[in-house]
Structure formats: C-alpha cells, structure tokens
Amino acid sequence: MKVLFAASEAVPFCKTGGLADVAGSLPQALVQAGNEVAVILPLYQKVAEGWKDQMSFVCNIEVPLGWRRVYCGLFRLDKDGVIWYFVDNEYYFKREALYGHYDDGERFGFFSRAVISLLPALAFMPEIIHCNDWQTALVPIYLKDECVRWPEVRGIKTVFTVHNIEYQGRYGKETLEDLFGLAPGWFADGTIAMDGDVNLLKGALMTCDAITAVSPTYAQELRYAFFAHGMESVMQRNAAKLHGVLNGIDMVRYDPAADPALEDHYSVSRMAGKAKCKAKLQRQLHLNEDPNVPIIAIISRLVSHKGLDLVCRVFDQIMDLNCQFVVLGSGDWNYEQFFEEKLGHYPGRMALYRGYNEKLAMQIYGGADLLLMPSKSEPCGLAQMIAMRYGTVPIVRETGGLKDTVHPYEAWCGAGNGFTFADYNSGDMLYVIRQAVDLYYNNPSAFKGLRKTGMTEDFSWSRSAQSYNEIYQSIRS
Ligand code: ADP
C-alpha cells in the first residue's frame, strides 16, 4: 500500500509531545510491514537549521488558500526507508515555536492545502493519506472538495488519528471562505460546523474514511462527554469507522542496553547497571545517595489533565513514605510553583527540573524505581511504556492507553506489570503508591519481578503497524 503520512511534528526533526514520537516511528514500522511510505511535515526554522543541508529541493508551487496564492516549496530527505517531505514557507514556519501563534489556523490551513496540491510532485500518488490531529484535519476535507474536479485523487482514502481530542482547531465562522477557502455548504450542512464555529477536527471526523484513536480504551472513552471535549455526539455518530490502535515506542531508541544518556547499560538478564544509573541520578540531582530508597518520578507536561492536582493534594503523605521524589516538566504556573515551594521542605529527598530535557528524561527513566502518572485522561501515553522498558515500575490511573498497557500487580499470583487505581481520587492514588513503596521495601524479589515483566513487554511499533495495515486494507476494499 502507498501511504502518505501527514503530521505537524515528528522525531527526530521537531517535537513538542507524543505525536512526534508516533510520527517518527510508525512510518518505519509501516515500511517494514510492506508499505511504501512518505511523511510530510512543515519545514520549521528548527528543522531547517538542523537538517536542510541533507535535503534536496523537489519543486515549488503556488498553493491557493482562500483569496491568496501562497508560495510553497517542497524538500525531500530519505531516511530509514521512509521518504520525508518538508513543506517550505518561511512566512508561516520560520518561527521559534511550532505552535501558539495568532495565525495557527492559517498556517495549518496552508499546510493541509499544500499536502493536497503537492500530490502530483510526490514520488508516488498515495492510496491512503494518514492524517493526525487538528493541524492536518483539513486534509480529508480538501481532498473531498478537490476530487469532484480531479479524478486522479478520487480513489485516495483517508485515515484520521486522534492523538488528543482537546485541541480541535476552532475558529469563527468568517474563516471558512476567507481563510480556508471552503464553500459555505461545508458549514451549512454541518460538516465543519460546531456550536456556531468552524471546527476543523469535526470536519475531519465527518469526512475521513476511518478514525483511529491511539488506544482501544481511548476509542471507547471518546463516546462520552467526560473525555470528548464536546465531540461525543460526533464520535457516536461515526462509531462504525472508529478503531483503537495502541501506540508503540521506538524499541531501538529507548533501549537501556544501548542508551547513550545512561551512566551504565543494563538489560533484563544484567540489571546491575540500573543501580549505577540510580546512584548517578541521585548525585546529579543532589538527592541523598542511598541505593535502598525508592525514587518516584514524574516526567510530564505539568498540565491539569495529567492528574497533578491529586499529587498536590497528598504530596506530604507521599513524602511520609520514606521515598525520594523527582519531577521533570514544565507547564502550568501553579504546578511549577507548588513543586518549587515543596523543594525547600524536603532537602536531599526531592528534585525538580523545570523545562524540557530529553537527556535528563532518559536518565530519570534509567535511575528511578517508580513512575507516577495519575492522568485524568490519557489518550495513549508513552511515558509509562518507556518507564517499563527501563525497568521503572509505573503507577497509573486506569484511563486511555494507561489502562491498556499497565496491568495491576496481584500479589497472590505475581501477575501484572505495575500499580493502578480507577477512580480519580487522591486517596486511591495514595493507597497504590503505598502498596508500591511497601513492595519495594518488603518484597524486593517481587518488585524485581515487576521490573522484569515491564522490561519484557512488547511495545514495538510492528504490532501497531499490523493493526493500521488491516484498517488501510478494510477501507480500500
Ligand atoms: P503527552 O504527549 O501528553 O505529552 P506522552 O506520555 O504521550 O504525553 O508523551 C510524552 C513524551 O514526552 C514522553 O516521551 C516523555 O518522556 C517526554 N517528556 C515529557 N515531558 C518531558 C520533559 N520535561 N523533558 C523531556 N521529555 C519529556
């Protein structure tokens, strides 16, 4: 199958969150599963600085966007069996940050229109265009809009993956024609309209051939108001084309036996290196150097849906458990401030790094004993899978992909690979943290067993690629 994968970020070129990990790894797995795959991304300033000398120029065209005719360059880079295309327009993409600009709607409207306009310039005409999140939500709509006049694209099918339904690309009604160049009928028949506004995500959900959510549980949850951010009725209406496919992780990149960020390497059969990673982490973060104290870590954006209010509510009780606590992340001021303030209360037992630091993240995965992820909602979550790969036992709330990947430890038979709680409740979270710390101190061999179970889980992309293949086949036949 010929697949064009459209995304707004991908590792190793640019990353702000989990989408980049997916877009960086799934395409290669799809190639290994027998597909021909190209990925198309915006050529952001950061990408250009790091990679442009390895790219070749393909062509430039004019892209129609409402009343504008916009310059669009196309660059190509071949890597790991995947063709990577980059859409160039310095006015839209030569900026420091990927998102958060006043004209994001126009920027990604341009990008989505460019994906369609550039189809004849690509190495192959795709059979499937696989889009991701609101930034590429206009692609299925533009495709439907164009195919009336353009027979060559008529047979292309679209898959739309919801990584996070919270971000929907919502704009005033006046943007429909002026900004996005769509006829009023798209709004009048409700396809792209929601609560009186243009809603790009809704448009994609209504027009694509298959919707996927990034975990089976998240696919179920999206039918309910608590999780769907107003999109529940749209999801219910399109339930027949909705699938849940669990994300994977890059098992080569995330490998404690080879990760250059780690103080020492280790694997299931040779765990000694993990203790060295822990000692290094304690030194580096000015924690008391004690190999026998469990380190609980949070590696996360510090935003409310990550469940941090639960942590704040019982933080002192957690610290009463004779553990060390490490937080890596940035985000909402109130959480940053909370952890900053707590630092002074727990010298030698707590560390905070405010910001984004990939190397430190890997060192924490390597050196910590427990990873806390009590999310209110979590479409898939990568951190818990990376943690397990590094022998760090996850403590999670049973939601979305956390529920699909972390199974509760059952003392009587030794089953499970982590600790879980169901209700969004700080008392329940504290209870399982206590269980985890208790197991660490009082049953080290069982705790070791949990680490090893996590390390041997198959979170590879090849499993997910197989599921996507089946979806591609089903909409082509
Ligand atoms: P989300 O996509 O909602 O941010 P995920 O768990 O799906 O959450 O993916 C987060 C990814 O970003 C993981 O790879 C995690 O290790 C990484 N990450 C999160 N916060 C930081 C940080 N402050 N520094 C470095 N890496 C981080």
Side-chain angles (χ1 to χ4, degrees), residues 155-180:
I156 300 176
K157 302 287 183 190
T158 49
V159 175
F160 186 83
T161 297
V162 181
H163 296 262
N164 191 336
I165 204 151
E166 193 175 343
Y167 309 106
Q168 300 183 355
R170 191 170 167 169
Y171 298 96
K173 187 181 169 187
E174 69 286 353
T175 57
L176 184 80
E177 290 178 76
D178 178 60
L179 204 58
F180 301 124

Side-chain angles (χ1 to χ4, degrees), residues 37 64 66 300 317 325 331 372 383 405 410 476:
V37 184
S300 174
Q317 282 126 293
F325 206 97
L372 180 58
T405 51
E410 292 180 54
R476 289 290 308 174

